[in-house]
């Protein structure tokens, strides 16, 4: 099972960027319960989004999760310098088993 | 606020086993499960498995047969044991406390992350 993300993306400060998460075997739907995590260097991950679109506690509303076509997406609206880090998606593939995407390095 | 305190870094020999602990402290623990993921140096995350506090475990196929994840709900502790270590197992191992948002088998999310435990494997 291969889950792919853009290896790197860039966005201007204040701009909007969409990161995507794709499943090689087929479309991602709401039943994959996609999650999104943020990681800055040397730190543990931080949960941003779960169940495709639900923001975790304390996450700014500039982060939003959705489905776009066959993919899950994380949109950052009004990007800030502190958003420059790595982002990972995770999807549920059944039988209690989850798979991470390869991660996206975002440059602001 | 509950924090997850993991055991310290270890150096292991190839072929040996490691057992990492993860203790919830600082409040009432109401997790539904504990998950374990790892991150090799400079790499992405790899989901390893989950222990459900109502009973049962799920393991990623790549680890099936050489991983055991357990939990003591009353003590708020989870353990991850990985056997037959190779150099490919050198990584930071993270535990996570999960909560449920629904009743289906996939309706879990990570509420709290541990700080990670670095396991080095070298002869």
């Amino acid at each position: 099972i291969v889950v792919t993300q853009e290896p790197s993306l860039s966005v201007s400060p204040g701009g909007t960027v969409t990161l995507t998460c794709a499943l090689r075997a087929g479309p991602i739907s709401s039943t994959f319960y996609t999650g999104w995590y943020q990681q800055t260097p040397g730190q543990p991950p931080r949960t941003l989004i779960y169940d495709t679109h639900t923001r975790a506690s304390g996450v700014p509303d500039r982060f939003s999760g959705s489905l776009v076509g066959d993919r899950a997406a994380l949109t950052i609206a009004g990007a800030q310098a502190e958003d420059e880090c790595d982002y990972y998606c995770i999807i549920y593939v059944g039988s209690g088993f989850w798979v991470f995407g390869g991660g996206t390095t975002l440059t602001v | 606020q509950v924090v997850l305190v993991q055991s310290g870094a270890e150096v292991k020999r190839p072929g040996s086993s490691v057992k990492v602990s993860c203790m919830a402290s600082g409040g009432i623990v109401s997790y539904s499960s504990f998950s374990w993921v790892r991150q090799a140096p400079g790499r992405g995350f790899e989901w390893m498995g989950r222990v459900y506090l109502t009973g049962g475990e799920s393991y990623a196929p790549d680890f099936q047969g050489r991983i055991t994840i357990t939990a003591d709900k009353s003590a708020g502790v989870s353990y991850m044991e990985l056997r037959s270590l190779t150099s490919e197992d050198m990584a930071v191992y993270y535990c996570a406390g999960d909560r449920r948002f629904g009743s289906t088998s996939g309706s879990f999310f990570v509420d709290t992350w541990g700080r990670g435990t670095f396991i080095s494997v070298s002869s």
Side-chain angles (χ1 to χ4, degrees):
Chain A
I1 297 173
V2 179
V3 180
T4 59
Q5 299 180 240
E6 298 86 359
S8 62
L9 290 171
S10 63
V11 61
S12 300
T16 297
V17 63
T18 297
L19 292 66
T20 69
C21 179
L23 177 62
R24 189 171 293 180
I28 292 178
S29 67
S30 61
T31 61
F32 288 83
Y33 304 107
T34 304
W36 290 91
Y37 304 113
Q38 177 190 60
Q39 187 187 36
T40 54
Q43 297 297 315
R46 173 195 183 192
T47 302
L48 295 177
I49 301 288
Y50 63 91
D51 192 20
T52 305
H53 53 76
T54 303
R55 270 188 298 275
S57 177
V59 174
D61 60 7
R62 66 177 183 274
F63 293 94
S64 62
S66 64
L67 296 174
V68 177
D70 289 349
R71 303 181 178 207
L74 174 71
T75 299
I76 306 173
Q80 301 182 5
E82 67 203 53
D83 299 333
E84 181 167 295
C85 59
D86 295 331
Y87 294 84
Y88 294 89
C89 67
I90 190 171
I91 64 169
Y92 178 65
V93 295
S95 301
F97 177 35
W98 295 73
V99 177
F100 278 98
T104 296
T105 297
L106 181 67
T107 300
V108 180
Chain B
Q1 181 172 345
V2 177
V3 296
L4 296 179
V5 180
Q6 298 187 222
S7 49
E10 298 193 51
V11 179
K12 310 299 291 188
R13 299 294 189 197
S16 66
S17 300
V18 67
K19 190 170 186 177
V20 183
S21 67
C22 170
M23 175 177 289
S25 67
I28 297 174
V29 178
S30 57
Y31 300 133
S32 297
S33 59
F34 286 96
S35 298
W36 288 83
V37 308
R38 73 178 184 181
Q39 185 174 37
R43 305 288 298 276
F45 291 101
E46 190 171 15
W47 188 86
M48 302 179 72
R50 170 176 274 137
V51 59
Y52 303 94
L53 298 188
T54 53
E57 307 84 36
S58 298
Y59 298 123
D62 284 353
F63 297 99
Q64 196 79 35
R66 72 181 187 108
I67 188 173
T68 303
I69 299 174
T70 57
D72 182 335
K73 183 177 182 179
S74 61
V77 182
S78 178
Y79 301 92
M80 186 285 299
E81 180 181 34
L82 191 62
R83 300 176 290 276
S84 301
L85 294 171
T86 73
S87 59
E88 299 295 306
D89 295 313
M90 186 166 71
V92 176
Y93 289 76
Y94 293 98
C95 72
D98 309 318
R99 299 192 190 278
R100 298 207 70 161
F101 56 84
S103 59
T104 61
S105 59
S107 52
F108 291 86
F109 74 99
V110 172
D111 177 83
T112 311
W113 289 92
R115 300 291 301 175
T117 296
F118 181 63
I119 303 299
S120 176
V121 182
S122 174
S123 55

